[in-house]
Amino acid sequence: MRISVDIGGTFTDVVCIDERGELHIRKALSTPADQSLGVVDGLTGLAEELGLNLERLLAATTLFIHGTTVATNLLIERKGARLGLITTAGFRDVLELREGTKADRYNLREPYLQPLVRRPLRIGVPERVRWDGSVQTPLDEAAVNAAIAQLKAANIEALVVGFLNAHRNPAHELRVRELVARAGWDVYVSLSHEILAQEGEYDRISTGAVNSYVGPGLRRYLNNLVERLRGAGLKVPVMAMQSTGGVLPVDLVIKHAVGSLTSGPAGGAMAGGYFAQRGEIGRAHV
């Protein structure tokens, strides 16, 4: 059995290809309070249609792919985690200054989008890595520990760490994560070089902020889902759809939560390309 599940705002769709290659489709009402319940309802209904119970269906499953709008909805509805940022001293406003651009750059009255991290929760610490990865200013660990204590006291749910040129030398960002763990702070952490390893501090830090903003909520959902499916008999890993058009195992999806944004449209595009190729339909006919 190969199964895929996609959660929508109203319905949860379950699609199965059995051992004979036959396609089976089942719909269930989505359950916004805990979307994993809607998934289990859909799978239970599918099992009944096939003359099985849920345990036998999942035990016979060889591939399980999941698509979800959880991360996208958290961002659009601004219902993500309460964030804190630790960055290079003097650069805490990079999320507001952006790159100096707007959607309508000549409209001087157009407001900038509000950053995901409030200014009092963005803390700069002394450190500096040059463009070539060499260290100009060592990381001030005392300042980092003070920042950790301040953000922890502010009930931060997820942390972003973004230093200049960390993609060239990530040692300072990695050290901050070690200091967070040493402080006994169980908080979701995004390091900018792990989320987007490219030039440009705004791109890296803003992408890291989005990752931390949706990460805790996506983690809660996926952990609930995996726990329910494992308890019901699923043996294979749950693979989640990514915006790249590919899939990742759940543990990696939780760490790189930003990859789940707009994964639904990406899946549709990949499917369209696949069926066009099977039907030998060229671009000129699309």
Side-chain angles (χ1 to χ4, degrees):
M1 297 281 189
R2 290 175 289 168
I3 295 176
S4 68
V5 178
D6 184 77
I7 297 175
T10 304
F11 292 107
T12 294
D13 298 297
V14 181
V15 179
C16 171
I17 299 178
D18 65 19
E19 296 89 341
R20 299 183 299 275
E22 295 182 1
L23 185 67
H24 306 273
I25 299 173
R26 177 76 179 188
K27 280 185 175 288
L29 289 174
S30 294
T31 52
D34 182 353
Q35 293 181 332
S36 64
L37 294 174
V39 173
V40 173
D41 289 343
L43 291 169
T44 300
L46 176 66
E48 292 174 354
E49 288 185 8
L50 297 174
L52 305 171
N53 59 28
L54 179 60
E55 290 74 17
R56 289 181 60 193
L57 173 70
L58 293 179
T61 299
T62 57
L63 178 67
F64 194 103
I65 296 178
H66 181 45
T68 176
T69 59
V70 168
T72 304
N73 291 341
L74 285 169
L75 181 62
I76 292 174
E77 298 172 8
R78 287 293 182 116
K79 294 181 178 179
R82 178 177 169 84
L83 298 186
L85 168 67
I86 297 178
T87 188
T88 305
F91 286 83
R92 72 170 182 163
D93 291 325
V94 69
L95 289 176
E96 284 187 278
L97 296 174
R98 295 153 56 96
E99 293 175 332
T101 59
K102 298 180 180 180
D104 183 359
R105 66 175 62 194
Y106 298 111
N107 182 358
L108 300 180
R109 293 179 176 82
E110 180 184 3
Y112 285 103
L113 296 175
Q114 290 299 307
L116 295 175
V117 190
R118 295 175 53 240
R119 195 170 193 270
L121 302 177
R122 306 194 301 255
I123 302 175
V125 298
E127 73 85 39
R128 192 69 175 244
V129 171
R130 296 186 180 95
W131 66 272
D132 60 356
S134 61
V135 175
Q136 176 177 318
T137 304
L139 179 66
D140 187 332
E141 295 192 4
V144 173
N145 287 328
I148 289 171
Q150 180 180 337
L151 294 173
K152 186 177 181 181
N155 296 317
I156 293 303
E157 298 171 310
L159 177 65
V160 188
V161 183
F163 292 142
L164 294 186
N165 297 313
H167 61 297
R168 298 289 186 184
N169 180 354
H172 290 174
E173 289 192 354
L174 293 169
R175 181 55 178 163
V176 172
R177 182 160 60 192
E178 292 175 355
L179 293 173
V180 168
R182 181 181 292 182
W185 190 17
D186 183 19
V187 66
Y188 187 99
V189 179
S190 295
L191 305 184
S192 74
H193 78 276
E194 291 182 342
I195 306 304
L196 187 67
Q198 70 176 43
E199 299 283 351
E201 58 271 13
Y202 171 69
D203 289 341
R204 282 187 293 104
I205 294 174
S206 62
T207 305
V210 173
N211 193 76
S212 277
Y213 190 68
V214 303
L218 185 63
R219 177 175 60 186
R220 283 192 296 271
Y221 163 68
L222 289 176
N223 284 342
N224 284 341
L225 177 65
V226 170
E227 184 178 352
R228 291 185 190 279
L229 294 178
R230 291 273 182 250
L234 184 69
K235 301 295 192 299
V236 297
V238 174
M239 309 294 288
M241 192 72 200
Q242 296 289 284
S243 59
T244 58
V247 295
L248 285 176
V250 163
D251 57 340
L252 293 181
V253 173
I254 290 171
K255 293 178 181 178
H256 201 274
V258 69
S260 294
L261 295 173
T262 69
S263 58
M270 294 296 291
Y274 171 78
F275 287 115
Q277 186 178 48
R278 290 291 300 270
E280 297 183 354
I281 301 172
R283 292 177 180 272
H285 296 90
V286 176

